Amino acid sequence: MAEASLKKAVYEQLARIGKAVASPPRLELLDLLCQGPRTVEGLAREAGLSVANTSQHLQILHAARLVEARKEGLFVTYRLADQQVCEFYRTLRTLAESRLAEIEAIVRMFNSGRESLEPVEKQALLERVRRAEVIVLDVRPPEEYRAAHIPGAVSIPLKELKAHLSMLPRGREIVAYCRGPYCVLAVEAVKLLCAKGFRAVRMDYGVPEWRAEGWPVTGGEDPR
Amino acid sequence: MAEASLKKAVYEQLARIGKAVASPPRLELLDLLCQGPRTVEGLAREAGLSVANTSQHLQILHAARLVEARKEGLFVTYRLADQQVCEFYRTLRTLAESRLAEIEAIVRMFNSGRESLEPVEKQALLERVRRAEVIVLDVRPPEEYRAAHIPGAVSIPLKELKAHLSMLPRGREIVAYCRGPYCVLAVEAVKLLCAKGFRAVRMDYGVPEWRAEGWPVTGGEDPR
DNA sequence: CGATTATTCAAGTGTTCGATTGATTAATGG
DNA sequence: CCATTAATCAATCGAACACTTGAATAATCG
C-alpha cells in the first residue's frame, strides 16, 4: 500500500544518483567537471571518448540533475549543477580509497615509490603553498586554470611546459599541481622539470581538494 | 599507455561503489544495515524481497566492500563494513534531497501536511529529546533497538504498540522515532497514540542522523 | 541562402543486470 | 545420520545499458 510505494519511490530516486555514478566514463566526466565548465567536445577529447558517447553520458548525468547544460553560441557548456556534487564525488572517492585496497595498489604501482610524501611533509608543503613561499605551478589546460586555480599559481599547461621553461626561475622551489591525486599531469611535469635541473615537487591536491579545506581559490567568474 | 590505464583502473574502482548504490533494493538494504546488523532472512523480510534475491544483492554490496558477512551458527549476519558507509549513504541521500525535487514531492504527498515541523520547532524538539525532557519512544523492531538507540529511549515496536499502551504515561509528551526521515513506523505510531488520547509527536531523526550530529547512542556491543 | 561546425537523436547490437526458480551446501538437533 | 533450516549457487529470461554509426538539428558565418 501507501508505505511500500513511498519507500520504493524514494529508493528509486536515490538510485538515479547511484546509476549516474555507476559508470567509469561518467565518473571521469564528473571529475573533469569538478575542474570547471567544459564543452561536450572538450570533455570528449579529455576523457578519450567519442563525442556522441560523451553527449549521451552527459545527458544521463543531467537526468540525475548532477550537471547543467547551457547553450552558448554553437557550443553547449556543461557544468556541475552545484558545488555539492563535487563534494559528493569526493566523498565517494574517499570511501573508495578507504574501502577498496585496490585503489591504493593501483596508485602505488604507478607512483613506483618516488612520489609518496609523509603526511607531515605533505602538511608542511600545503602550508608553504598556502603562504606562497614557493612557486606554484598549475599544469592543467588553460580553461581549467581560468575556471579556478590556487591563488598565486602560474599557469603553464603540461603540453607547453617544455617550450616555456625559461619562464620559471631556477633558484626557487617549484610545486606543481594538476587535477588531484589521480591526475598524472603534475607527475609528468615534475619529471620533466627535475630532468632539466629545476627543484620541483608534486602536490597531489587539486582545486577541489584545496577548496574542500576551506581555502580560497581564484577565478571562475561564473556569469550565470 | 600507462596513464590511460591508471585513470581507467581508478574510475573502475569508484564505479564499483557506484554500481552498489545504483539499485533501489540495494539502497534499502543499506538503509536497514545502517540501523544495525541483520541476518539475510531478516533483511529479506524487512525489505520485502525474496531470500535468494536478497542474498545476491548482499553479495554485490560485499563485493564493493560496503558490508561484511559473518557466519554465526546457522545464520549469516551482515553489517556495514564501516560507519563511514553509513555516512556515505547519508551524503547520497542529502544530495538527492537537494538536487531531486521529486523526493520532497513524494514525502510531502505522503505526509499530507500534518507532519512537517518548522526548522525552529524541530531544533527545539531535538534539544528536548537530548535532555530527556520527554518520553522518547523507539518503535523499530527490537533487534534494531538492541543494536543502537537514543539514550533513554523506551522500546515498543510498532507491531506491539497497541498491546502495550499501558506502559506509556498519559500526562507526559511522547516523541516517537524510527529509522529516519523516510521511515513510516513513527508516523503510524503517532497516529495510533493520538487516536488513543496520548500527546505524541514524531521526530524524523533516526539513530544514524542522531549519531551524525555527534550525539551519543546506547547499545551495540559489536563483539567482533 | 548554403556551408560549416557542435551537438543531439535514432537505430542497431552485444553485454550486463535483475529477479525467479529449483538444486545444493552448511550447520544444527533429534 | 537423517531431517530441518539458512543461505548460496546455477540456470534462465526479459529488461536495461553501453557504445557505434549515420542522420538530423541548430547556430554561425561567409
Side-chain angles (χ1 to χ4, degrees), chain A residues 185-205:
Chain A
L185 296 176
V187 175
E188 296 295 321
V190 166
K191 217 179 283 178
L192 174 63
L193 288 172
C194 288
K196 297 291 185 181
F198 290 89
R199 279 202 304 136
V201 297
R202 180 202 176 201
M203 169 172 74
D204 69 356
Y205 266 39

Side-chain angles (χ1 to χ4, degrees), chain B residues 149-166:
Chain B
H149 58 261
I150 292 176
V154 177
S155 171
I156 308 182
L158 178 59
K159 285 184 179 174
E160 285 144 43
L161 186 54
K162 209 160 197 168
H164 293 75
L165 286 176
S166 59

Side-chain angles (χ1 to χ4, degrees), chain A residues 142-155:
Chain A
E143 56 266 53
E144 298 180 22
Y145 176 85
R146 231 175 292 129
H149 57 261
I150 292 177
V154 177
S155 170

Side-chain angles (χ1 to χ4, degrees), chain A residues 12-21 26 30 33 54-69 78-79 81 85, chain B residues 95-96 99-103:
Chain A
E12 265 162 24
Q13 295 302 316
L14 300 188
R16 283 172 68 183
I17 312 264
K19 282 178 195 169
V21 295
R26 282 199 289 276
L30 267 188
L33 288 170
T54 303
S55 173
Q56 285 172 183
H57 279 305
L58 288 169
Q59 283 170 61
I60 292 171
L61 290 172
H62 184 77
R65 311 282 159 80
L66 299 185
V67 306
E68 280 173 7
Y78 278 87
R79 68 198 67 214
V85 176
Chain B
L95 180 68
R99 295 304 316 157
L100 302 173
E102 286 86 344
I103 292 194

Side-chain angles (χ1 to χ4, degrees), chain B residues 168-183:
Chain B
L168 291 168
R170 294 213 159 249
R172 290 179 65 191
E173 184 166 12
I174 297 167
V175 175
Y177 77 93
C178 48
R179 292 178 184 135
Y182 304 128
C183 178

Side-chain angles (χ1 to χ4, degrees), chain B residues 54-172:
Chain B
T54 303
S55 172
Q56 284 171 186
H57 279 304
L58 287 169
Q59 283 171 61
I60 292 171
L61 290 172
H62 184 77
R65 311 281 160 81
L66 299 185
V67 305
E68 280 174 5
R70 199 181 314 164
K71 186 135 196 175
E72 289 166 352
L74 199 47
F75 298 82
V76 175
T77 301
Y78 278 86
R79 66 198 69 214
L80 294 188
D82 193 297
Q83 193 53 36
Q84 201 185 350
V85 176
C86 180
E87 315 273 312
F88 171 70
Y89 171 67
R90 291 191 5 93
T91 304
L92 169 62
R93 225 177 48 187
T94 305
L95 180 68
E97 276 164 22
S98 74
R99 295 304 316 157
L100 302 173
E102 286 86 344
I103 292 194
E104 217 189 324
I106 293 165
V107 173
R108 196 168 38 243
M109 193 183 310
F110 184 78
N111 278 344
S112 63
R114 289 169 290 104
E115 284 300 328
S116 46
L117 289 181
E118 297 297 320
V120 176
E121 264 185 280
K122 182 172 156 176
Q123 280 311 310
L125 179 64
L126 285 172
E127 198 47 38
R128 283 163 68 210
V129 168
R130 208 172 68 75
R131 296 189 187 162
E133 293 172 6
V134 289
I135 303 278
V136 183
L137 178 61
D138 186 323
V139 296
R140 298 173 302 162
E143 55 265 55
E144 298 180 21
Y145 176 86
R146 231 175 292 128
H149 58 261
I150 292 176
V154 177
S155 171
I156 308 182
L158 178 59
K159 285 184 179 174
E160 285 144 43
L161 186 54
K162 209 160 197 168
H164 293 75
L165 286 176
S166 59
M167 291 177 62
L168 291 168
R170 294 213 159 249
R172 290 179 65 191

Side-chain angles (χ1 to χ4, degrees), chain A residues 25-102:
Chain A
R26 282 199 289 276
L27 285 163
E28 179 159 15
L29 293 174
L30 267 188
D31 197 327
L32 287 167
L33 288 170
C34 281
Q35 304 296 322
R38 262 258 163 65
T39 65
V40 178
E41 223 191 359
L43 290 164
R45 183 170 6 94
E46 210 66 58
L49 301 171
S50 78
V51 170
N53 194 9
T54 303
S55 173
Q56 285 172 183
H57 279 305
L58 288 169
Q59 283 170 61
I60 292 171
L61 290 172
H62 184 77
R65 311 282 159 80
L66 299 185
V67 306
E68 280 173 7
R70 200 180 314 163
K71 186 134 195 176
E72 289 167 352
L74 199 48
F75 298 82
V76 175
T77 302
Y78 278 87
R79 68 198 67 214
L80 294 189
D82 194 294
Q83 192 53 37
Q84 201 186 349
V85 176
C86 180
E87 316 274 311
F88 171 70
Y89 171 68
R90 290 192 6 93
T91 304
L92 168 61
R93 223 176 49 187
T94 306
L95 180 68
E97 277 165 23
S98 75
R99 295 304 316 158
L100 301 173
E102 286 86 344

